């Protein structure tokens, strides 16, 4: 059996939603509805943020592990309400306690009444070494018992999503290519190759991130020297997509009033206002480009220093990442010498007279998600393109509209979508103010809703195009289209204001996407 929405709703009620990471009573960093580890295997960290839709999808994946325990342990017929109540109970007390409980023993003896009464026994917690009844647990057990005894009004079971390729992998083999000096990882299921990855940098954190994306791979071995890399299509692993800085007219670049900005400036009481202003502009621009996550408060602290060095490493090289901001770095930030954006002709129909968007998949991955191409067509000709993502790491399963399952953290399905108007949390063009509180902070300050138009229908909903606002803590989305940073989203906004395109064609190469 599978859980229903009733099961999730009851757990959500008692767990409570937190969009920022916090430490639970045991000191474990937790987020959302009790999540301590993301689907890509990474643990929750201080400072992480999450949207409510992501949190519910994470919860569903976690609860499915407990539903498997219940499904295997219960040997007598139960209805949907009874199954949901048992899973919520198992989720709270733990699988070992559930399997050894008198509740399960009575149930498997077909003593349904006796099993129902056993819910109320589990209302105690150890306080100062003594087990005592806790009112919150008492109330929770009463609701689980009531659901177990409820006749009728059963909710429809929720379908599970298809397992990702990464979940099927059982072992990994690493190679070092002599001609390219790059690391290649071959992922196997038994003796069959699942995928081949090429790491574009030698950053150890990138290798660790890749290995963590295979939760069921028991071993990682190094290929013997001289062994050839197996042939096959490769996925290129990049550290992160960089913001494509648009060329800026020198007259539009804010003046740098301070000859050299560096770590520690702005914290003294006698700091000139011009220095605060320069640092504030620096922080806001680094935030736009996706390098800085803190507040633009006008002090050059550790977060600002790290963001500057990361930007300099991307655009000047690691050897020039010194954290000092003079005219060279300042002008690079605003694109004084940036080359004009060149949009290569792409595959697919180009229909004169039509203005539309198109979304396709590349063979590159960053932070566990495929890099996708969001393209803008004006009068049938491609004008611009952005790197984006959709779905969560480890959940990169691309489906047709009718086959796509809700709450799976998979990318939005293939098909034609309708593009709604821009929706702002804190007012038009306000990228640095409020974020959408209803969905937590994972959505950011601006969003565009999408509605599926065909072919057929889909069960997926609440799909939007927004900034991947919590990318550094939880990269990816719950199925929306995530634009990497504010600077790129500003370019996306110019598309919408240019010709008001209302059609988005999502083409994963599955053969169901209509043509413009």
């Amino acid at each position: 059996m599978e859980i229903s929405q009733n099961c999730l709703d009851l757990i959500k009620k008692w767990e409570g939603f937190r969009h920022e990471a916090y430490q639970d009573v045991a000191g474990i960093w937790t987020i959302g509805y009790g999540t301590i580890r993301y689907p890509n295997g990474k643990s929750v960290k201080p400072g992480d943020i999450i949207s409510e839709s992501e949190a519910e999808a994470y919860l569903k994946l976690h609860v499915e592990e407990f539903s498997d325990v219940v499904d295997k342990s219960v040997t007598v017929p139960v209805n949907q309400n009874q199954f949901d109540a048992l899973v919520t109970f198992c989720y709270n007390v733990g699988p070992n306690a559930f399997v050894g409980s008198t509740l399960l023993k009575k149930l498997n003896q077909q003593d349904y009444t006796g099993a129902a009464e056993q819910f109320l026994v589990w209302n105690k917690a150890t306080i100062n070494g003594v087990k005592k009844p806790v009112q919150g647990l008492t109330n929770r057990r009463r609701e689980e018992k009531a659901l177990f005894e409820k006749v009728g009004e059963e909710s429809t079971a929720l379908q599970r999503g298809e397992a990702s390729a990464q979940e099927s992998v059982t072992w990994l083999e690493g190679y070092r290519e002599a001609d390219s000096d790059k690391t290649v990882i071959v992922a196997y299921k038994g003796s069959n190759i699942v995928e081949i990855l090429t790491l574009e940098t030698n950053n150890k954190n990138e290798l660790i991130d890749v290995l963590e994306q295979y939760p069921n791979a028991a071993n990682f071995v190094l290929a013997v020297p001289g062994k050839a890399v197996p042939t096959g299509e490769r996925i290129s692993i990049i550290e992160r997509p960089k913001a494509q800085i648009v060329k800026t007219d020198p007259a539009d670049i804010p003046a740098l009033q301070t000859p050299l900005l560096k770590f520690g400036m702005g914290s003294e009481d006698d700091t000139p206002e011009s220095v605060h202003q320069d640092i504030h502009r620096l922080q806001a621009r680094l935030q736009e480009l996706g390098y800085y996550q803190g507040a633009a408060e006008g002090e050059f602290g550790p977060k600002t220093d790290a963001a500057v060095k990361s930007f300099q490493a991307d655009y000047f090289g690691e050897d020039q990442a010194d954290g000092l901001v003079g005219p060279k770095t300042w002008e690079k930030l605003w694109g004084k010498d940036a080359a004009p954006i060149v949009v290569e002709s792409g595959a697919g129909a180009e229909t004169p007279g039509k203005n539309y968007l198109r979304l396709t998949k590349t063979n590159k991955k960053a932070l566990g998600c495929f890099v996708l191409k969001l393209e803008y067509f004006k009068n049938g000709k491609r004008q611009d393109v952005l790197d984006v993502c959709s779905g969560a790491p480890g959940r990169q399963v691309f489906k047709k509209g009718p086959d796509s399952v809700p709450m799976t953290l998979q990318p939005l399905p293939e098909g034609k979508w309708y593009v709604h108007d821009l929706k702002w949390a804190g007012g038009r063009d306000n990228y640095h103010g409020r974020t959408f509180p209803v969905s937590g902070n994972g959505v950011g300050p601006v969003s565009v809703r999408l509605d599926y138009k065909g072919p057929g229908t889909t069960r997926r909903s609440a799909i939007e195009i927004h900034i991947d606002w919590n990318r550094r803590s939880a990269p990816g989305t719950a199925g929306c289209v995530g634009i990497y940073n504010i600077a790129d989203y500003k370019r996306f906004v110019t598309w919408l204001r240019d010709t008001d395109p209302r059609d988005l064609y999502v083409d994963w190469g599955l053969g169901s996407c209509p043509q413009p």
Side-chain angles (χ1 to χ4, degrees), residues 10-172:
L10 188 54
I11 294 174
K12 285 165 57 179
K13 174 181 177 179
W14 289 104
E15 292 293 334
F17 171 67
R18 298 278 289 274
H19 78 264
E20 293 184 15
Y22 66 97
Q23 285 182 291
D24 66 9
V25 292
I28 299 172
W29 284 100
T30 308
I31 202 167
Y33 294 108
T35 293
I36 61 173
R37 191 175 298 275
Y38 299 113
N40 63 353
K42 287 185 174 294
S43 298
V44 174
K45 309 184 303 301
D48 285 2
I49 56 175
I50 194 175
S51 70
E52 194 166 356
S53 58
E54 288 172 324
E56 184 171 18
Y58 292 161
L59 174 66
K60 179 176 180 288
L61 293 174
H62 193 202
V63 171
E64 285 172 350
E65 299 173 11
F66 292 87
S67 74
D68 289 339
V69 173
V70 174
D71 201 41
K72 293 175 182 176
S73 303
V74 175
T75 59
V76 296
V78 292
N79 62 34
Q80 187 66 56
N81 286 339
Q82 290 169 330
F83 184 76
D84 287 339
L86 293 169
V87 173
T88 63
F89 174 74
C90 179
Y91 181 84
N92 185 238
V93 303
N96 291 335
F98 172 76
V99 170
S101 68
T102 302
L103 187 158
L104 179 62
K105 181 180 179 180
K106 286 181 175 290
L107 178 62
N108 283 339
Q109 293 172 346
Q110 297 193 356
D111 182 3
Y112 292 89
T113 301
E117 293 302 321
Q118 281 295 308
F119 279 98
L120 304 180
V121 173
W122 292 78
N123 70 334
K124 301 175 183 65
T126 302
I127 303 174
N128 296 325
V130 180
K131 283 193 172 183
K132 297 181 179 180
V134 176
Q135 190 60 50
L137 284 176
T138 299
N139 295 340
R140 182 170 185 159
R141 297 294 172 253
R142 285 172 179 168
E143 292 202 22
E144 290 168 348
K145 178 176 182 289
L147 180 59
F148 185 87
E149 295 176 321
K150 188 175 183 179
V151 178
E153 298 183 30
E154 296 178 10
S155 183
T156 304
L158 299 173
Q159 185 178 344
R160 296 194 189 196
E162 178 183 342
S164 67
Q166 291 73 35
E167 290 176 293
S168 71
V169 171
T170 55
W171 66 286
L172 302 160

Side-chain angles (χ1 to χ4, degrees), residues 479-493:
C480 296
V481 178
I483 294 180
Y484 293 132
N485 50 65
I486 294 173
D488 285 350
Y489 206 94
K490 285 184 174 180
R491 283 169 57 196
F492 170 65
V493 170

Side-chain angles (χ1 to χ4, degrees), residues 176-182 184 229 234:
R176 190 70 174 178
E177 283 193 311
D179 57 342
S180 66
D181 198 33
K182 292 180 179 179
V184 177
V229 180
R234 295 194 186 187

Side-chain angles (χ1 to χ4, degrees), residues 374-387:
L374 181 61
E375 304 165 291
Y376 168 46
F377 289 82
K378 179 178 180 179
N379 194 27
K381 296 294 183 181
R382 188 158 68 161
Q383 304 295 307
D384 201 358
V385 59
L386 290 171
D387 289 339

